[in-house]
Amino acid sequence: MQRLNLYDRQKLAFWYQRRISKRSLAKIVGRDHSVILREIERNRGDYLPYDPERAQAFAERRLRKKKITKFEKYPALKEYVIKNIKEGFSPEQIAGVLKGDDPPPKLGGIAVCAESIYSLIYASPLMDGLHAHLRRKRLKRRNRHGRVKQAKTLLKERISIHARPQEINERKEFGHWESDSMVFSKQNEGLSVQYERSMQLVRINKIANRSAQETEDALRNSIESLPEKSFKTLTFDNGSEGAHHMIIRDEFRIGTYFCDPYASWQKGGVENMNGLIRQYLPRKTDLSQLTDRDIYLIQERLNNRPRKGLGYKTPNKKLQEYLEAVH
């Protein structure tokens, strides 16, 4: 069975402090209850009932005594992984390329899983500052926060996401997009982000504010950046920036749909993309210092990153294949 990692131990600590049973803990963490019993007994602290970081450090120390890791055995592999993390690739993307059809020739087919790459990063939180190159830049791996509630907004001619054709959920047809706005600290300027569900393609436009007019203009730029009929549907949350959706719908013949109130997770693709963008543009970024060209370069860097869901092809590569097939 796979060893406990830092994320497992943090999850264990969270629920253990809430005094649930050991067997319930085992189900949450996905391990046999005897493993959980041994883990807690072995890592009880003087002041804390169970310290996940301390337990992880002890576990790694024991593991180093038992065997040499691939990164220790193959320095070139470690060098390759660290280089690509610093280039902005995620551990899953790096692992996928290593196991793919065209692995780096210098490594001679040596592969490593994403979890091992995370272990390299989090073996020491400050190890080369690698955590700062991850999407969330966290020192610790943790569960997602609960959803942030949005203010209710009255939108005319709003059609629920539940009326959206079911085949859109299968992510097989190109042209079904999700739209969202990104805000930044202490400024009106923001970003309008559109994400295509099947190819994971992204379009990013700088906006002066989150008004419906600015969002309409950004949507026009995104739609007109691609061949005709590349946009078949758009899914929004319930923010006021989507109030001009009827104009886009009627002019470009695009179906528009809206998530349930307080359920932006229903358009999780663009929410996840926002997290990728934050890797390049943290919340405190001063957008007034960035040009449209700067934003475009970030957009295309994201569109040229290999994606697990695309068999580690890039969104731009998938788009190219699609356009060649239909023309």
Side-chain angles (χ1 to χ4, degrees):
M1 182 176 287
Q2 186 181 15
R3 294 183 178 88
L4 291 170
N5 55 40
L6 179 57
Y7 175 70
D8 296 327
R9 290 184 166 95
Q10 289 171 337
K11 185 160 56 173
L12 173 60
F14 176 86
W15 289 106
Y16 182 56
Q17 290 173 10
R18 281 148 183 79
R19 300 181 183 280
I20 68 173
S21 71
K22 305 297 191 301
R23 289 187 180 275
S24 296
L25 282 172
K27 290 180 180 179
I28 291 171
V29 180
R31 301 292 192 279
D32 187 83
H33 80 282
S34 62
V35 174
I36 301 303
L37 284 172
R38 184 166 59 251
E39 174 70 16
I40 292 172
E41 290 300 321
R42 177 184 280 171
N43 296 291
R44 285 183 184 275
D46 295 332
Y47 302 102
L48 293 175
Y50 177 77
D51 183 338
E53 282 72 27
R54 180 173 177 268
Q56 180 71 15
F58 285 159
E60 289 167 358
R61 189 181 304 167
R62 289 192 297 270
L63 187 60
R64 283 194 293 271
K65 291 179 180 179
K66 292 180 181 178
K67 72 170 191 175
I68 299 174
T69 68
K70 277 191 176 181
F71 295 118
E72 293 170 320
K73 190 174 182 180
Y74 304 107
L77 174 64
K78 182 177 180 179
E79 181 182 350
Y80 174 85
V81 168
I82 291 175
K83 176 179 178 294
N84 281 276
I85 288 172
K86 291 181 177 179
E87 285 293 319
F89 284 30
S90 72
E92 282 193 340
Q93 290 166 342
I94 296 169
V97 171
L98 289 171
K99 295 176 182 177
D101 297 331
D102 188 24
K106 292 183 180 180
L107 296 181
I110 303 168
V112 67
C113 69
E115 194 55 48
S116 294
I117 298 174
Y118 276 115
S119 295
L120 173 67
I121 295 169
Y122 287 107
S124 171
L126 299 179
M127 189 268 183
D128 289 337
L130 292 181
H131 67 282
H133 298 279
L134 295 178
R135 184 186 317 168
R136 307 293 183 186
K137 305 182 188 296
R138 291 172 178 158
L139 283 170
K140 303 175 184 178
R141 296 181 73 186
R142 60 180 179 177
N143 289 323
R144 285 188 253 182
H145 291 299
R147 300 191 300 272
V148 177
K149 291 191 175 182
Q150 304 165 340
K152 290 185 179 179
T153 304
L154 182 61
L155 295 163
K156 295 180 180 179
E157 301 182 36
R158 175 189 181 280
I159 300 176
S160 169
I161 192 172
H162 300 292
R164 195 174 67 178
Q166 181 61 34
E167 57 265 25
I168 294 177
N169 296 329
E170 297 175 2
R171 300 176 182 264
K172 293 181 179 179
E173 182 182 39
F174 175 64
H176 302 291
W177 296 74
E178 300 169 355
S179 184
D180 199 16
S181 299
M182 289 184 66
V183 297
F184 293 79
S185 300
K186 300 178 181 180
Q187 57 194 298
N188 290 324
E189 287 184 297
L191 298 177
S192 179
V193 182
Q194 285 74 52
Y195 167 87
E196 202 284 320
R197 291 169 57 83
S198 67
M199 295 185 188
Q200 303 181 37
L201 196 69
V202 66
R203 289 292 182 264
I204 310 172
N205 292 278
K206 191 176 175 183
I207 52 178
N209 52 58
R210 294 178 64 193
S211 68
Q213 185 59 56
E214 283 288 315
T215 299
E216 178 191 334
D217 293 342
L219 288 169
R220 288 179 184 277
N221 289 338
S222 292
I223 293 168
E224 292 169 358
S225 72
L226 289 165
E228 189 178 359
K229 298 182 180 179
S230 293
F231 278 71
K232 297 181 176 70
T233 67
L234 270 165
T235 300
F236 302 86
D237 58 25
N238 292 278
S240 60
E241 63 267 30
H244 288 186
H245 74 98
M246 308 94 69
I247 299 173
I248 296 295
R249 178 196 66 192
D250 296 341
E251 182 174 341
F252 295 98
R253 297 183 179 180
I254 294 171
T256 57
Y257 301 92
F258 290 84
C259 298
D260 294 332
Y262 315 132
S264 58
W265 56 267
Q266 291 175 334
K267 54 178 181 61
V270 72
E271 297 288 338
N272 184 63
M273 178 56 66
N274 289 348
L276 288 173
I277 296 171
R278 288 289 186 204
Q279 186 173 349
Y280 301 99
L281 300 173
R283 187 173 288 271
K284 293 183 179 180
T285 301
D286 182 357
L287 290 185
S288 68
Q289 302 299 311
L290 298 177
T291 66
D292 290 338
R293 175 65 178 173
D294 294 327
I295 301 300
Y296 173 79
L297 291 176
I298 292 171
Q299 169 189 292
E300 290 310 293
R301 188 163 187 178
L302 290 166
N303 285 329
N304 286 306
R305 289 174 67 166
R307 303 292 172 81
K308 181 179 180 181
L310 303 178
Y312 294 99
K313 291 184 178 181
T314 69
N316 273 344
K317 177 65 175 177
K318 292 290 289 185
L319 177 63
Q320 179 186 353
E321 292 174 351
Y322 169 77
L323 295 177
E324 290 173 353
V326 298
H327 289 94

